[in-house]
Amino acid sequence: MQTKNLLWITAALLLFTACGKKYTVTAECDASSNGKQAYIIDYTTEKPLDSTIVSDNKAIFEGETPEAKLCQFFVNSPSRESATFILESGNIVIDPETQMVSGTAQNDSLQSFNSTLRKTQEQFYTRYQALSKTTPDFKEKVEALQDEMMQSFGDVSARFIESMPGSCVATYALANWLPMLIGTENFDKAAAYITDNDLKYPMIKNSVKTNDRTKATQAGAMFTDFTIENGNLDGSAVSLSDYVGKGKYVLVDFWASWCGPCRAETPNLKEIYKQFGGDDFEIVSVAVWDKRDATLEAIKELALPWPQIIDAGQIPTDLYGINGIPQIMLFAPDGTIVARNLRGEEMKRLISLTLQK
């Protein structure tokens, strides 16, 4: 009798556990998505976990999951509706238009985290709009405001991570926080929260890798060479070492044709090139994350007179830990990195001081 009771209890527990793994995900969709395929993408594998057809402006998924997973809802339609959520047992509701997710404990916490960040961002934007652009110290005030905002974002992220250690919410907070800190001393503080499970997520693993490469290519380090097949304008191979480490200062501009801030630096680069270009100084543009034809068209449109390396893809950005462009770096005649993250007036001052010594 006792054995039968134990067997019954065990079976009941197994049934309860199985039921506890079931999920229903209901996503509100635009009418243009009706009849289109909708997916749940696992962020760890970046592959679909489930799919359904959108009908009556809804995508409804039903299934089981052995554990909570950070996922993306995505519709393959012209509207490209998507939202990040946590797939776990329970009834989950998603509104891609407002990026609202709810229905389970972790999704409610995820929504709270995103709402807190949005409110923080809105507060700082209001303060930014109140600044007078005519004041002499406008730039300094903006930079101070940006630093304060980054600190606030970090405080919010740390609070959620510490309150839900090991959760998908903590993973999501880390995944959004770490890229902001790459190349700064605060990265290691945030990285202390990373768990083995977090490293299953490419977005976190890539942030760690990028930060490591950024630290390895800071001022004082020797340049890291790379070769791009078909990287010359004539289609031949070209290496960074064809220019860097050849006895002159070289300003290397990692850019792309579609990048507005990259294009905005063109007048500054042209001014520097006109003043200093010659035997002691060169500029080299390296097109990354761009299509060859688009790069060639932009080079012609912008009338860039200095050497170009094109079609570089992500080879240079991986090597130098670049997670945003433009990234402009100055190399010494022997190939040592003098500075990175150069822009605008600061860049012009550094070049002037360096070359007029």
Side-chain angles (χ1 to χ4, degrees), residues 94-116:
I94 301 173
D95 185 346
E97 184 177 355
T98 61
Q99 295 293 296
M100 295 283 288
V101 294
S102 61
T104 62
Q106 286 208 67
N107 279 295
D108 289 345
S109 294
L110 179 66
Q111 183 60 45
S112 177
F113 173 74
N114 283 329
S115 296
T116 303

Side-chain angles (χ1 to χ4, degrees), residues 278-324:
D279 293 338
D280 298 323
F281 178 77
E282 182 64 277
I283 293 178
V284 177
S285 288
V286 181
V288 298
W289 309 334
D290 207 359
K291 295 181 179 179
R292 187 182 187 90
D293 289 345
T295 301
L296 290 172
E297 185 177 340
I299 292 170
K300 183 178 180 180
E301 175 193 343
L302 297 171
L304 304 181
W306 48 79
Q308 305 288 324
I309 297 177
I310 64 175
D311 232 3
Q314 64 183 55
I315 293 173
T317 54
D318 283 351
L319 288 173
Y320 283 88
I322 298 170
N323 68 331

